[in-house]
Amino acid sequence: MLLLNDLKITRSELHDLLPSQNAEDLEEFFSHLAWSVICEPGDGFAGLLVSALGATAALNSELQNLTSQSVKMSLLESGISASELDRFGVFEVAHHAARERWRPRLSLGAVKQAISKMQQIKGFMLTPVSAGWPEQLSDLRYNAPMALWVRGSQTSLDRLSKSVAVVGSRGATTYGEFATEAVVAALVEKGISIISGGAYGIDAMAHKSTLALQGNTVAVMAGGIDKLYPSGNSQLLKRVTETGAVLSEMPPGSIPTKWRFLQRNRLIAALSHSTIVVEANWRSGALNTATHAQTLEREIYAVPGPISSPKSAGTNKLIAEGRAQLIVDSADLLERMGIQAKVPTQLELSGLGAIEVRVLDAIGFDSLEIAEICSAAGLTRDEARFGLGNLELEGLVARRGNAWAKTQTTL
Amino acid sequence: MLLLNDLKITRSELHDLLPSQNAEDLEEFFSHLAWSVICEPGDGFAGLLVSALGATAALNSELQNLTSQSVKMSLLESGISASELDRFGVFEVAHHAARERWRPRLSLGAVKQAISKMQQIKGFMLTPVSAGWPEQLSDLRYNAPMALWVRGSQTSLDRLSKSVAVVGSRGATTYGEFATEAVVAALVEKGISIISGGAYGIDAMAHKSTLALQGNTVAVMAGGIDKLYPSGNSQLLKRVTETGAVLSEMPPGSIPTKWRFLQRNRLIAALSHSTIVVEANWRSGALNTATHAQTLEREIYAVPGPISSPKSAGTNKLIAEGRAQLIVDSADLLERMGIQAKVPTQLELSGLGAIEVRVLDAIGFDSLEIAEICSAAGLTRDEARFGLGNLELEGLVARRGNAWAKTQTTL
């Protein structure tokens, strides 16, 4: 019970703690940060309480140790339907379990420490009440993050309204790196921001390629952003903070655990308008990102690869199962994303019909009269004339006196 | 008109020409061979007449130069509907055009020569009236071949009831050759025959791999099979005739023209229960085979490849457009073909839930008591116990006194 009381904080203390924050939404802002410290990512029960009651009221109900019955009444009064609550099972049981999870972390000290750490590293925080909160995160509903802890620029986050996630295997092959560069180049050229996870391999290549092209890139971390993880990418991630952003829903000091990596992937998927998996083996985290994108009904694309490459097994399988669209090339990707209209290729324009092909076959390397063409091609005079007319329009045959010949010998 | 009369042949002359043929269907058999000499492949108007009236009656109507009106009456009497005839446009015009195509080739000499050539090279002929005619060809309806000119064994053709076409680029890459071998090996092991076009590249590799595994393979040629085309593959194709078969719908002496190559592809598609494209560039003939397979509503599969390889551009596009199913690996191919049931992998069997993952994260490299696990994982006691129970069943954790530890350090 001592820990509970510990979170009580006066309004003037709040002002001192968050001097640059609007007075208007100060408490809601702080309460969201507190929830971000208290919960593991994707805690749907916390999400329910916060989205229905507001972060402060939800926090107070916990600090005051209100009965489950009373919390349930508040939820129903807020407009949450009884059937919606049923999704969490017996409400009292779910609430009791949630309290048991939250209680050991209900510490004012931890929240203050996280905020002060962010101030030290010149980071900033965003919550759903902040201007500049990425609206697309609301598609996660109760599993939306409570806050984002950010190093970098707000402008970079604003540009995520046009963004694509590019993710893949940590152990990328040369082919995967090539494909990442190709895909990123096509997107960045169209002003699209690139979101990834900052990991080794494809993720790193996605960030690097975007930086090289002076595009906007955002890295979403599984743990606290006081440490740029993995350490081998810390220089790269530092460069990302300089023009783009590195962010996490976990406060500084949080360790990146496997669970948090899996939950981090839902943020990558939710922040992006579509997700591209470049290389992934059968059990890659990138496939988990694709699953989140699928749940959110966002488009998923995958780069195909050799059936002999384990790093393409996961992407090929995504495509085979109809979960991802196959990327043929950059032009095709942009077209299917609705970014660029398709321009018909010369080959498609010059598609020949059956009669034209038979006439060309008949002519071969010779110069033939129509009667000869008919006999050789097994066509009627009218058909042969029709075919020759079309071929002449295409510039593929020319008349020489009474005979016809090819203008070129490409066939 | 002289040419027309030229095709008249008495029954005893027929017996001398085709001594091993059943007396019963002798005329129909011969007439189909004659039509095969007279028409270009896929002549739908000839197909209409032959399938409605029979090959002999259809031939006689041409030899006797019956009026279009009278031929049309016969067709309607045979049960062909007027709307079916309308598909050919104005009947008299279509018939006139067809006659103009056929007349220069209505030569008894040419038919006799083709038959005698086949006898010389110890080949044999099949027509729709022959026992052993591949029934699947009837799916081509009016475009079905009039006859097959075959070198090889009837047994090989009989085995096509379980067959797959494996086709692809003439300029195959090492990857394409590897993929062909892998796909063919999986199919041949299951007793499936491999059909291809005898061309360089993927086709040749498909035949070679099948022969190496002592499987059954059939090559479908665009021109006459007196010449094994292309000459660079003649040794390979000769080996195909020894256990399998090389066949064509064109009589010996026919030149393989571009038109005939395109039409040959419809035979490959129609003879096979499904078609696999291994490598193909944007305008490969293999894509034409896929189009025929699609028209016939046969399954199409494609081997994916790097987006950087022009030889995979066609196959990747087939998949992207939803025209072909992506082949992940041999096991997946057999499963989707309904040949082999899927066996769940060890990885899938040991799929862990969210709670289990969080418990494993919490334990890390330590040995922890339940209270410690709850605090580290943000889980309730019940949840932690539930997760530990499942992990214990999977053999991933073990109890040591009051504490729990991992049994292995794979995570």
Side-chain angles (χ1 to χ4, degrees):
Chain A
M1 294 311 283
L2 214 137
L3 279 174
L4 289 180
N5 292 325
D6 182 24
L7 249 178
K8 286 182 181 166
I9 182 167
T10 65
R11 214 177 144 76
S12 80
E13 282 176 306
L14 268 185
H15 263 296
D16 294 344
L17 191 62
L18 297 162
S20 60
Q21 193 60 27
N22 279 344
E24 200 183 322
D25 53 25
L26 187 57
E27 284 174 7
E28 268 306 276
F29 183 80
F30 172 79
S31 299
H32 274 102
L33 297 183
W35 277 110
S36 165
V37 170
I38 294 164
C39 303
E40 277 299 302
D43 186 324
F45 199 83
L48 168 73
L49 260 57
V50 168
S51 63
L53 310 176
T56 310
L59 195 57
N60 278 336
S61 80
E62 292 312 303
L63 292 171
Q64 293 158 19
N65 210 15
L66 296 187
T67 64
S68 292
Q69 192 54 33
S70 139
V71 173
K72 187 177 182 179
M73 284 305 294
S74 306
L75 287 171
L76 292 169
E77 278 165 23
S78 80
I80 299 280
S81 71
S83 65
E84 184 80 359
L85 290 188
D86 287 346
R87 289 171 46 197
F88 294 88
V90 177
F91 183 82
E92 288 73 13
V93 173
H95 187 231
H96 179 80
R99 253 185 196 169
E100 222 185 298
R101 287 198 299 273
W102 300 335
R103 199 161 299 168
R105 294 193 185 163
L106 271 169
S107 151
L108 180 59
V111 185
K112 279 184 167 172
Q113 206 181 344
I115 294 170
S116 109
K117 184 76 198 171
M118 284 305 280
Q119 287 161 345
Q120 272 172 45
I121 62 176
K122 298 194 169 38
F124 63 96
M125 292 82 74
L126 287 177
T127 77
V129 298
S130 312
W133 176 254
E135 282 308 322
Q136 58 269 40
L137 291 175
S138 64
D139 291 351
L140 288 168
R141 303 196 62 227
Y142 299 148
N143 302 115
M146 297 293 181
L148 294 180
W149 306 77
V150 191
R151 280 168 81 171
S153 79
Q154 176 65 51
T155 317
S156 167
L157 299 184
D158 294 340
R159 290 177 62 191
L160 296 188
S161 55
K162 276 174 75 182
S163 61
V164 169
V166 176
V167 297
S169 173
R170 287 176 168 76
T173 68
T174 313
Y175 168 61
E177 296 195 333
F178 154 82
T180 307
E181 281 187 307
V183 162
V184 165
L187 295 169
V188 167
E189 200 201 342
K190 298 290 168 187
I192 291 165
S193 301
I194 305 296
I195 299 177
S196 196
Y200 294 127
I202 301 298
D203 286 21
M205 192 47 125
H207 295 303
K208 256 184 233 172
S209 308
T210 313
L211 289 173
L213 297 161
Q214 301 189 296
N216 180 41
T217 190
V218 169
V220 184
M221 305 276 101
I225 57 169
D226 49 330
K227 273 200 186 161
L228 295 174
Y229 178 92
S231 54
N233 280 348
S234 64
Q235 278 310 306
L236 169 64
L237 290 168
K238 199 158 177 311
R239 280 174 56 214
V240 169
T241 66
E242 284 158 16
T243 55
V246 173
L247 60 85
S248 175
E249 66 183 307
M250 294 303 291
S254 308
I255 294 160
T257 63
K258 190 152 188 158
W259 173 256
R260 290 171 188 167
F261 273 114
L262 294 173
Q263 289 297 305
R264 181 276 307 267
N265 294 338
R266 94 191 187 293
L267 287 199
I268 293 180
L271 283 169
S272 311
H273 279 62
S274 44
T275 292
I276 297 174
V277 187
V278 180
E279 277 193 320
N281 45 29
W282 288 90
R283 266 206 139 183
S284 170
L287 299 185
N288 172 256
T289 309
T291 302
H292 284 300
Q294 201 174 357
T295 309
L296 293 163
E297 295 179 3
R298 305 272 160 92
E299 298 281 1
I300 307 165
Y301 300 87
V303 173
I307 59 174
S308 46
S309 165
K311 296 293 172 192
S312 288
T315 41
N316 285 345
K317 202 183 177 206
L318 271 184
I319 298 163
E321 289 173 348
R323 296 174 58 203
Q325 297 180 52
L326 183 149
I327 295 176
V328 177
D329 55 29
S330 309
D332 165 78
L333 173 66
L334 294 176
E335 188 201 335
R336 273 189 288 149
M337 282 185 167
I339 295 165
Q340 187 169 274
K342 188 166 188 292
V343 179
T345 64
Q346 192 53 39
L347 281 177
E348 286 164 331
L349 286 174
S350 69
L352 299 179
I355 288 181
E356 288 80 4
V357 170
R358 286 167 70 169
V359 169
L360 269 183
D361 281 345
I363 296 178
F365 296 100
D366 306 321
S367 175
L368 297 183
E369 295 190 17
I370 286 206
E372 294 172 307
I373 292 171
C374 290
S375 171
L379 292 172
T380 67
R381 253 173 193 276
D382 285 346
E383 287 168 343
R385 277 202 205 94
F386 172 82
L388 285 167
N390 289 344
L391 289 167
E392 194 176 20
L393 282 175
E394 295 271 0
L396 294 171
V397 299
R399 185 197 284 266
R400 297 181 192 163
N402 282 329
W404 291 83
K406 285 190 193 171
T407 52
Q408 45 189 7
T409 51
T410 49
L411 286 176
Chain B
M1 295 311 285
L2 212 136
L3 280 172
L4 290 180
N5 290 323
D6 182 26
L7 248 179
K8 286 183 179 162
I9 183 168
T10 65
R11 216 179 142 74
S12 80
E13 282 175 308
L14 269 185
H15 262 297
D16 293 344
L17 190 62
L18 297 162
S20 59
Q21 193 61 25
N22 279 344
E24 199 182 324
D25 52 26
L26 188 56
E27 284 175 6
E28 268 306 278
F29 184 80
F30 173 79
S31 298
H32 274 101
L33 297 183
W35 277 111
S36 164
V37 170
I38 294 164
C39 303
E40 277 298 302
D43 186 324
F45 198 84
L48 167 74
L49 260 57
V50 169
S51 63
L53 310 176
T56 309
L59 196 57
N60 278 336
S61 79
E62 292 312 303
L63 292 171
Q64 293 157 19
N65 210 18
L66 296 188
T67 64
S68 293
Q69 192 54 35
S70 139
V71 173
K72 187 176 182 178
M73 284 306 296
S74 307
L75 286 170
L76 292 170
E77 278 166 22
S78 80
I80 299 281
S81 70
S83 66
E84 184 80 0
L85 289 188
D86 287 347
R87 289 172 45 196
F88 294 88
V90 177
F91 184 82
E92 288 73 12
V93 173
H95 187 231
H96 180 79
R99 252 185 198 170
E100 224 186 294
R101 287 198 300 271
W102 301 336
R103 199 161 300 168
R105 294 194 185 163
L106 271 169
S107 152
L108 181 58
V111 185
K112 278 184 169 172
Q113 207 181 343
I115 293 170
S116 111
K117 183 76 197 170
M118 285 304 282
Q119 287 161 346
Q120 272 172 44
I121 61 175
K122 298 194 168 44
F124 63 96
M125 293 82 74
L126 287 177
T127 77
V129 298
S130 312
W133 177 255
E135 282 308 321
Q136 58 269 39
L137 291 175
S138 62
D139 291 351
L140 290 167
R141 303 197 62 228
Y142 299 149
N143 303 115
M146 297 292 182
L148 295 179
W149 307 77
V150 192
R151 281 168 81 171
S153 79
Q154 177 65 50
T155 317
S156 166
L157 299 184
D158 294 341
R159 290 176 63 189
L160 295 188
S161 56
K162 277 174 74 181
S163 62
V164 169
V166 176
V167 296
S169 174
R170 286 176 169 75
T173 69
T174 313
Y175 167 60
E177 296 196 333
F178 154 81
T180 308
E181 281 187 307
V183 162
V184 165
L187 295 170
V188 167
E189 200 201 341
K190 298 289 168 187
I192 292 165
S193 301
I194 305 296
I195 299 177
S196 196
Y200 294 127
I202 300 297
D203 285 22
M205 193 47 124
H207 294 304
K208 255 184 236 173
S209 308
T210 314
L211 289 173
L213 296 162
Q214 301 189 297
N216 180 41
T217 191
V218 169
V220 184
M221 304 276 102
I225 57 168
D226 50 329
K227 272 198 187 163
L228 295 174
Y229 179 91
S231 55
N233 279 349
S234 64
Q235 279 309 308
L236 170 63
L237 290 168
K238 199 158 176 309
R239 279 173 57 214
V240 169
T241 66
E242 284 158 16
T243 54
V246 173
L247 61 85
S248 175
E249 65 182 308
M250 295 302 291
S254 307
I255 294 159
T257 62
K258 193 152 185 159
W259 172 257
R260 291 171 188 167
F261 272 114
L262 294 173
Q263 288 297 306
R264 181 275 309 266
N265 294 338
R266 93 190 188 293
L267 287 199
I268 292 180
L271 283 169
S272 311
H273 279 62
S274 44
T275 293
I276 297 174
V277 187
V278 180
E279 277 193 319
N281 45 29
W282 288 90
R283 267 204 138 186
S284 170
L287 299 185
N288 172 257
T289 309
T291 302
H292 284 300
Q294 202 175 354
T295 309
L296 292 164
E297 295 179 3
R298 305 272 160 91
E299 298 281 359
I300 307 165
Y301 299 88
V303 174
I307 58 175
S308 46
S309 166
K311 297 294 173 192
S312 288
T315 40
N316 285 345
K317 203 182 177 208
L318 271 184
I319 298 164
E321 289 173 348
R323 296 174 59 203
Q325 297 182 51
L326 184 148
I327 295 176
V328 177
D329 55 28
S330 309
D332 166 77
L333 173 66
L334 294 176
E335 186 201 338
R336 273 189 288 147
M337 282 185 166
I339 294 164
Q340 188 168 274
K342 188 165 190 290
V343 179
T345 64
Q346 191 53 40
L347 281 177
E348 285 165 330
L349 284 174
S350 69
L352 299 179
I355 287 181
E356 289 80 4
V357 169
R358 286 166 71 167
V359 169
L360 270 183
D361 281 346
I363 296 179
F365 296 99
D366 306 321
S367 175
L368 297 182
E369 293 191 16
I370 287 206
E372 295 171 306
I373 292 170
C374 290
S375 170
L379 292 173
T380 66
R381 253 175 192 274
D382 285 346
E383 287 168 342
R385 276 202 206 95
F386 172 82
L388 284 167
N390 289 345
L391 289 167
E392 194 176 22
L393 281 175
E394 295 271 0
L396 293 171
V397 299
R399 185 197 284 267
R400 296 182 192 164
N402 282 331
W404 293 82
K406 284 190 193 172
T407 53
Q408 46 188 8
T409 51
T410 49
L411 286 175

